[in-house]
Amino acid sequence: MIKGRPPRLERIHERSPLFFVTFCTRDRRPFQKLTLVHQAFLCFTDKARSDYEIAVGRYVIMPDHLHFFVQGGQAFILSSWVGGLKRSISVALSCGSSQLWQPGFFDHVLRSVESYAQKWEYVRDNPVRAGLVKAAEEWPYQGEVMYIDRA
């Protein structure tokens, strides 16, 4: 069993759980270089997929926070992985992790296809609700690193 993972997850999930994750910048200060954040995110998630078989699905990067779906194998420790992602983005922006990020993160274990679809629709519309674009598909800092089948 993975240290730090509640034992009930083993009964609920026959396969590795899919997490919905959100984390924010310190004091919700906007990134100065959103394009660099996006590039660092894609680089980190690509390496996670190729080297560690960690799948990142859909994601949206907002000016002061990130939302994404991630799934790893039985040895996957979400908190360590998120910490690595935060460090990677901090390095890309040439700033210290403690200066850039609010401590911790929010995560939710998805239990159904409907939950995945509902979360994605809400997250996908964030740039529209924030007044950054008129239609969600116009936001350049979103996508899907890898298709994650939840059926």
Side-chain angles (χ1 to χ4, degrees):
M1 182 178 334
I2 297 173
K3 183 179 178 184
R5 180 182 285 179
R8 71 183 185 283
L9 289 182
E10 301 303 325
R11 293 190 304 270
I12 295 169
H13 297 279
E14 293 178 10
R15 57 185 166 175
S16 299
L18 175 62
F19 296 96
F20 169 66
V21 177
T22 299
F23 58 86
C24 304
T25 59
R26 184 171 292 282
D27 301 321
R28 300 298 291 256
R29 287 187 303 252
F31 296 114
Q32 296 302 309
K33 300 175 181 174
L34 205 48
T35 300
L36 279 179
V37 173
H38 194 200
Q39 290 170 347
F41 177 84
L42 291 175
C43 183
F44 187 87
T45 57
D46 186 52
K47 186 167 179 56
R49 181 184 49 79
S50 65
D51 294 358
Y52 304 103
E53 297 182 2
I54 295 169
V56 174
R58 296 171 173 166
Y59 68 92
V60 174
I61 301 172
M62 295 294 289
D64 62 358
H65 66 281
L66 289 82
H67 297 288
F68 57 90
F69 298 88
V70 63
Q71 182 176 43
Q74 292 301 311
F76 179 61
I77 300 173
L78 181 62
S79 59
S80 298
W81 190 85
V82 169
L85 175 57
K86 285 181 172 183
R87 279 188 301 281
S88 181
I89 293 171
S90 297
V91 167
L93 295 174
S94 301
C95 62
S97 211
S98 63
Q99 296 170 336
L100 182 61
W101 302 112
Q102 188 171 296
F105 60 93
F106 167 82
D107 68 283
H108 175 75
V109 177
L110 299 179
R111 291 180 171 80
S112 69
V113 174
E114 293 77 26
S115 181
Y116 188 27
Q118 284 176 324
K119 287 269 189 239
W120 173 240
E121 288 305 315
Y122 176 78
V123 168
R124 185 174 170 260
D125 287 337
N126 264 4
V128 176
R129 284 191 302 278
L132 300 168
V133 292
K134 293 200 183 290
E137 54 276 357
E138 295 172 5
W139 186 244
Y141 309 108
Q142 67 165 321
E144 185 172 38
V145 175
M146 181 177 190
Y147 174 74
I148 298 175
D149 180 18
R150 293 308 294 170

